Amino acid sequence: MLRTFFSSSITKPLTAQKTIHTGVRAFSTGFVLRQAQTGDKSYTHILTETRGKVGLITLNRPKALNALCGDLFVEVNEALRSYDNNDAIGAVVITGSEKAFAAGADIKEMKDKAFIETYKSNFLGHWAEMTEIKKPILAAVNGYALGGGCELAMMCDIIYAGEKAIFGQPEIKLGVIPGAGGTQRLVKAVGKSKAMEMILTGSVNLNATEALSLGLVSKVVPAAELVDETVKTAEKIASMGQPSVQMAKEAVNKSFEVPLSAGLRWERILFQALFGTADQKEGMTAFVEKRKANFTNQ
Ligand code: CAA
């Protein structure tokens, strides 16, 4: 199933086709046929595309401003795992529409849930699966990144923003709090006072310039250029040796989890481990021979 996922063309959403509901997922007769014929994998709530060595995931629930329903996140996780398992892919970009990256978790889907149901099913727990992905994930954020949308962006490794991007954690206005990392990752990204202000008021949002100045995002570009610009950076990352890219990601993420001494030890072990790779030999030899390195990801 996963092997059949990759394609050089955008896969069409199933909503445009006749659907047969099988449990939580909707599959279409057209989908089964098309998959068999072309090797594409189609999804209901996202579009997927490969551009060179970059996998591009576009959230695609335009009428709901890409509200993150449970099934959408199942699909995002599946697409990410597929890219992670594909040797031809070196990095992934997640984006939404020009109006909304994602306007948060799906309020209509969760409004009637009872505590015991959320607790027993570990509601939203599956969102965190994307933090297990080894390859770098870049977020290209246009428009609203609110609540879970902001949290999804912060689960990515790099965030680029379009000029009209808006970041916020409005959950308090719904009688809840951020539930997918907002109280933890936002503090680390923008500092305690600004994070508290955003989370406790629910209405102090960051525009793209503010997000850049606080370090939440690393670049702001015109909305229409955002995806291409983000893919360009992803391509640069994907052109490096994959073992070193993935270990670099792991080492940086370690800094959020462990004390400095343990993080430094982890970093040195990974650095030393890379001397067991062909890419280290190639990278350093290429430097000495004054030529471009040709990494083989070995
Ligand atoms: N869930 C479900 N539906 C949503 C949604 C959400 N988070 N956000 C927007 N929509 C739907 C709206 O209900 C509306 O649908 P209908 O046409 O059927 O009424 C459609 O998207 C368009 O939305 P608006 O008409 O509201 O568009 P707008 O341009 O006037 O406003 C907005 C845009 C400011 C983003 C506004 O939609 C909004 O405030 N959305 C909710 C934002 C929010 O509170 N997010 C946090 C969710 S909770 C969460 O994420 C928990 C967590 O930590 C994981």
Side-chain angles (χ1 to χ4, degrees):
M1 181 92 153
L2 296 184
R3 271 182 290 114
T4 63
F5 167 65
F6 297 95
S7 152
S8 58
S9 62
I10 295 181
T11 55
K12 299 285 183 297
L14 291 181
T15 42
Q17 303 171 18
K18 188 180 170 204
T19 57
I20 296 170
H21 293 273
T22 54
V24 293
R25 291 289 194 75
F27 294 95
S28 76
T29 47
F31 160 67
V32 174
L33 191 63
R34 223 166 83 77
Q35 187 182 30
Q37 285 172 344
T38 67
D40 284 352
K41 172 77 171 88
S42 294
Y43 292 98
T44 306
H45 304 300
I46 63 173
L47 303 172
T48 57
E49 179 186 355
T50 54
R51 293 198 192 173
K53 292 180 180 173
V54 177
L56 176 61
I57 297 172
T58 303
L59 309 181
N60 189 39
R61 291 187 78 202
K63 286 187 185 150
L65 302 184
N66 291 330
L68 303 164
C69 60
D71 286 352
L72 182 149
F73 233 103
V74 167
E75 292 185 352
V76 167
N77 285 332
E78 186 179 334
L80 284 170
R81 274 196 304 275
S82 299
Y83 285 133
D84 216 28
N85 290 331
N86 185 331
D87 289 343
I89 296 293
V92 182
V93 172
I94 300 181
T95 194
S97 68
E98 283 210 10
K99 174 154 188 191
F101 177 71
D106 191 322
I107 300 166
K108 292 167 188 165
E109 185 181 68
M110 68 184 159
K111 77 179 190 29
D112 295 324
K113 283 188 186 296
F115 160 70
I116 197 66
E117 186 188 349
T118 61
Y119 186 75
K120 278 166 70 179
S121 66
N122 192 19
F123 180 51
L124 299 190
H126 71 300
W127 287 26
E129 283 173 29
M130 67 178 282
T131 62
E132 302 294 321
I133 298 299
K134 288 176 149 184
K135 290 173 187 171
I137 307 170
L138 294 80
V141 177
N142 267 325
Y144 296 112
L146 298 178
C150 186
E151 292 167 308
L152 168 60
M154 291 191 292
M155 280 196 280
C156 296
D157 302 306
I158 295 172
I159 308 176
Y160 281 6
E163 282 169 338
K164 293 194 175 146
I166 299 281
F167 297 86
Q169 299 287 167
E171 290 90 342
I172 207 87
K173 294 195 288 189
L174 299 168
V176 292
I177 66 170
T183 65
Q184 306 299 303
R185 294 192 179 96
L186 189 63
V187 179
K188 292 184 168 73
V190 304
K192 176 180 162 184
S193 183
K194 181 53 79 178
M196 281 286 195
E197 194 185 15
M198 293 170 70
I199 291 166
L200 296 181
T201 69
S203 48
V204 171
N205 295 331
L206 300 178
N207 63 32
T209 315
E210 291 163 334
L212 180 67
S213 69
L214 288 165
L216 177 63
V217 312
S218 51
K219 195 180 233 185
V220 176
V221 295
E225 295 164 26
L226 177 68
V227 173
D228 286 348
E229 193 65 23
T230 313
V231 168
K232 206 192 296 176
T233 299
E235 268 169 357
K236 183 170 277 184
I237 293 168
S239 74
M240 303 297 161
Q242 288 309 301
S244 49
V245 164
Q246 291 175 26
M247 286 190 206
K249 168 171 169 165
E250 186 181 337
V252 172
N253 281 336
K254 212 57 170 178
S255 75
F256 290 97
E257 308 285 347
V258 300
L260 180 62
S261 56
L264 290 171
R265 181 75 189 129
W266 194 263
E267 177 194 74
R268 193 164 312 124
I269 293 280
L270 291 177
F271 173 75
Q272 292 164 355
L274 284 164
F275 283 78
T277 65
D279 281 349
Q280 175 270 328
K281 298 287 171 293
E282 168 61 10
M284 294 192 181
T285 303
F287 175 82
V288 171
E289 294 177 354
K290 299 188 188 301
R291 62 174 173 81
K292 195 172 181 299
N294 178 26
F295 294 117
T296 55
N297 305 326
Q298 298 298 315

